Amino acid sequence: MNINSVLETIQNIKSDIQTVSSHEELEQFRLKYLVRKGIVQQMFERLKTAAPEDRPVLGKALNELSRTAQQLFDEKKRELEQSRHASKDTLDLTIPGRRRPVGTKHPVTQALDDMTNIFKSMGFAVALGPEIEDDFHNFEALNFPPDHPARDMQDTFFLDKTALLRTHTSPVQIRVMMNQPPPIRHVMPGRVYRNEAISARSYCMFHQLEGLAVDEHITFAELKGTLATFAKRFFGSSVKYVFRPSFFPFTEPSAEMDISCFLCKGKGCRVCKQTGWLEILGCGMVDPNVFKAVGYDPEKVTGYAFGMGIDRTALLLYGIDDIRMLYENDVRLLNQFT
Ligand code: DAH
């Protein structure tokens, strides 16, 4: 070995690394030069047999060779890595995006939100209550005495002696009033449960929107005005309405509100059973006994309350003819509400 062969090898290394363009080729380079049995080590081995006077110069040149080989290898490796990342990160902006299905609100939630927003715009706050209730809130405080026949109106799911699934949202009235003094102006949306035979027209769970206003000098005229405004905003300004006398234990006097059928515009059709009218809610002036149950003074305050079912109205609005479809969560139905 002489100095020329070392310099020649350095040249070879430099030209070899130029031809490397992949990780595989770089590995070939490494195997050729840098491993224990590679060219670099072999040359160091041969140094032992070189003439002693040549060794310092040769040794220095070999160190240079070794450093060059390692350095060129490292640089190439970094370069290859960077170009791999670069190609991975390159975005092809011309590829069309993937369409993701967009979720939507359930039609019942949509109707409930729309109704709630109308009342919010008239100054009502929103309150929620538990779906598992007790006898006091669901019945007793609402003026259903223990043996009152009105309790038969409700087909109640009892969970045990005291706990039950609320049969209406009216117990939230009790909770709101027991929580704060008057004035009250709240709407209370939520799920309610009744042990009814399941059919196209009725289900064991549905939704109600309850309303309550309590203050000094609240009148039945305000109740009518508020509900008429609601009906016009929700069903359209041409809607007609009528209040019929009715009975609820927790209101006196009580009424039910009918609106002109929004499908046939009052002419009479299958949906309104040829009457031209649809019943949408119960309402009335809060019974003094309810005020007593929550600790309000019935001599000082008056109030009105109302409660409406959401699901049947949603069915009519969207032209769905079986209430069970609302709860099956079949995307073929839900997709139509995007
Ligand atoms: N809670 C009644 C029901 O489930 C609906 C109702 C009627 C609520 C009159 C009221 C009301 O607040 O005043 O059938």
Side-chain angles (χ1 to χ4, degrees):
M1 185 174 66
N2 56 35
I3 189 71
N4 279 339
S5 64
V6 175
L7 295 176
E8 202 178 302
T9 310
I10 290 182
Q11 279 315 312
N12 289 344
I13 289 173
K14 284 183 177 165
S15 63
D16 274 4
I17 201 76
Q18 302 253 314
T19 66
V20 169
S21 64
S22 68
H23 281 279
E24 291 85 285
E25 285 165 1
L26 186 64
E27 180 62 5
Q28 293 306 320
F29 177 91
R30 190 179 72 87
L31 293 174
K32 183 170 175 188
Y33 292 105
L34 295 174
V35 292
R36 204 147 50 86
K37 296 220 167 100
I39 287 174
V40 176
Q41 276 308 315
Q42 279 173 24
M43 295 186 83
F44 273 107
E45 288 299 320
R46 272 193 269 155
L47 184 61
K48 291 176 192 157
T49 58
E53 64 274 23
D54 292 343
R55 280 187 209 167
V57 177
L58 281 176
K60 227 175 147 195
L62 279 177
N63 281 335
E64 174 67 25
L65 177 147
S66 166
R67 214 178 324 142
T68 306
Q70 187 64 47
Q71 201 179 337
L72 290 173
F73 173 82
D74 289 344
E75 274 168 15
K76 188 55 106 181
K77 191 172 174 191
R78 222 173 301 130
E79 195 181 296
L80 287 174
E81 223 108 76
Q82 266 169 10
S83 72
R84 192 175 59 185
H85 283 157
S87 65
K88 228 196 233 160
D89 289 347
T90 302
L91 284 181
D92 182 349
L93 296 172
T94 63
I95 293 176
R98 251 178 245 159
R99 281 200 179 272
R100 308 249 175 226
V102 180
T104 56
K105 282 186 184 166
H106 189 278
V108 170
T109 308
Q110 255 171 52
L112 205 46
D113 282 358
D114 290 349
M115 291 177 174
T116 305
N117 284 335
I118 292 174
F119 284 106
K120 272 190 188 167
S121 78
M122 291 195 276
F124 285 76
V126 178
L128 301 174
E131 290 173 26
I132 296 177
E133 267 295 4
D134 52 28
D135 184 274
F136 174 78
H137 292 88
N138 198 77
F139 293 124
E140 197 185 321
L142 288 163
N143 200 33
F144 293 79
D147 297 316
H148 196 286
R151 286 194 182 196
D152 277 355
M153 284 163 41
Q154 321 262 4
D155 299 301
T156 310
F157 284 116
F158 285 93
L159 301 176
D160 58 30
K161 275 216 174 87
T162 52
L164 50 87
L165 295 180
R166 68 180 178 193
T167 57
H168 50 177
T169 43
S170 302
V172 191
Q173 289 186 28
I174 303 301
R175 291 185 179 274
V176 168
M177 286 191 279
M178 291 182 91
N179 250 333
Q180 66 186 83
I184 303 276
R185 199 170 277 264
H186 279 72
V187 283
M188 299 149 257
R191 268 188 277 241
V192 302
Y193 300 85
R194 287 190 205 172
N195 189 4
E196 283 182 43
I198 293 171
S199 71
R201 288 203 29 90
S202 57
Y203 202 68
C204 53
M205 183 277 299
F206 53 99
H207 301 73
Q208 287 188 334
L209 181 69
E210 191 81 17
L212 175 69
V214 181
D215 202 348
E216 289 169 19
H217 315 303
I218 294 236
T219 65
F220 196 89
E222 281 176 60
L223 166 61
K224 283 173 77 178
T226 305
L227 292 177
T229 304
F230 162 77
K232 289 196 165 136
R233 298 230 338 238
F234 188 78
F235 296 104
S237 54
S238 63
V239 77
K240 294 201 200 82
Y241 57 89
V242 60
F243 287 85
R244 285 180 290 103
S246 184
F247 172 79
F248 300 100
F250 36 91
T251 45
E252 181 59 33
S254 304
E256 278 171 305
M257 185 189 194
D258 296 346
I259 57 162
S260 52
C261 178
F262 49 77
L263 294 171
C264 63
K265 304 275 178 250
K267 287 189 204 81
C269 67
R270 191 176 61 95
V271 169
C272 59
K273 300 202 185 90
Q274 310 305 331
T275 62
W277 295 97
L278 296 168
E279 179 201 316
I280 59 159
L281 58 82
C283 61
M285 300 305 288
V286 179
D287 193 290
N289 285 341
V290 174
F291 285 143
K292 281 184 208 151
V294 299
Y296 281 13
D297 183 352
E299 298 299 323
K300 281 210 180 111
V301 292
T302 56
Y304 64 77
F306 57 87
M308 66 184 105
I310 310 302
D311 307 61
R312 281 195 191 149
T313 303
L315 290 184
L316 298 174
L317 271 181
Y318 301 126
I320 302 169
D321 54 18
D322 189 324
I323 196 167
R324 290 168 289 196
M325 287 205 212
L326 289 180
Y327 316 116
E328 282 164 357
N329 284 334
D330 187 327
V331 288
R332 287 170 299 177
L333 177 91
L334 300 176
N335 272 341
Q336 295 173 53
F337 295 92
T338 48

